[in-house]
Amino acid sequence: MALIMLAAAAGVTAALLAVPYAYDVLRLGGAAYLGWMARQTLRPGGASVFEPRALPPEPPARLFAVGAATALLNPKVALFYVAVLPPFIDPARGSVLAQGVILGSVQVLIGALFDILLVLGAGGISTFLAGRPLWLAAQRYVLGGALGLIAVKLATDSRR
């Protein structure tokens, strides 16, 4: 994920410096993607990402390899860095590349810490949610609503 973040930061830097309307393209593309994610979460028959489901047992090495490949090849990770971080970058405050790397590094660190906590607590969370369908539904609506609000904010934001 850190390699994707560095590549995205360099690409955002080049795009923002080379093309005056690149920020708007990134912003509107990010808003459209977040809107699509909100729709997928809120659509009738949509399932919660936390809904428990049975999985076959796998060896730890295979789980690690699948996780690493998923992280490295996931286009959503790159899209996140390209669509969500640019509104927080201000060219008037110095190097756009440095700001992108710092913001991306903070996100990678927070994401890694959160993932560790989620892995450690996944069994308890799954057990808790398995017997509480209303909590699963509430989680879907809160997540979908938050994604939708962020999409609207990005779509209506203007360059500073």
Side-chain angles (χ1 to χ4, degrees), residues 40-62:
Q40 292 298 106
T41 303
L42 295 173
R43 70 181 165 80
S48 168
V49 295
F50 294 113
E51 190 170 325
R53 45 192 163 281
L55 298 172
E58 297 283 351
R62 175 163 166 72

Side-chain angles (χ1 to χ4, degrees), residues 9-160:
V12 168
T13 301
L16 291 177
L17 294 176
V19 183
Y21 295 104
Y23 172 79
D24 290 329
V25 170
L26 292 174
R27 176 179 57 82
L28 294 173
Y33 178 69
L34 289 173
W36 177 81
M37 285 178 42
R39 171 72 178 120
Q40 292 298 106
T41 303
L42 295 173
R43 70 181 165 80
S48 168
V49 295
F50 294 113
E51 190 170 325
R53 45 192 163 281
L55 298 172
E58 297 283 351
R62 175 163 166 72
L63 293 175
F64 180 81
V66 169
T70 300
L72 292 172
L73 301 174
N74 187 350
K76 288 185 259 184
V77 173
L79 188 57
F80 171 81
Y81 289 119
V82 172
V84 175
L85 290 185
F88 299 99
I89 296 174
D90 185 2
R93 293 184 179 255
S95 170
V96 173
L97 176 61
Q99 290 179 60
V101 170
I102 290 168
L103 287 170
S105 298
V106 168
Q107 189 279 325
V108 167
L109 178 64
I110 291 170
L113 292 173
F114 178 79
D115 288 348
I116 289 168
L117 291 174
L118 185 61
V119 166
L120 294 175
I125 292 169
S126 179
T127 302
F128 176 82
L129 292 175
R132 295 171 177 83
L134 290 177
W135 280 82
L136 281 173
Q139 176 275 325
R140 269 185 55 219
Y141 291 114
V142 169
L143 176 63
L147 290 171
L149 289 173
I150 294 170
V152 168
K153 171 69 173 137
L154 274 176
T156 59
D157 190 28
S158 63
R159 194 165 193 49
R160 291 176 230 148

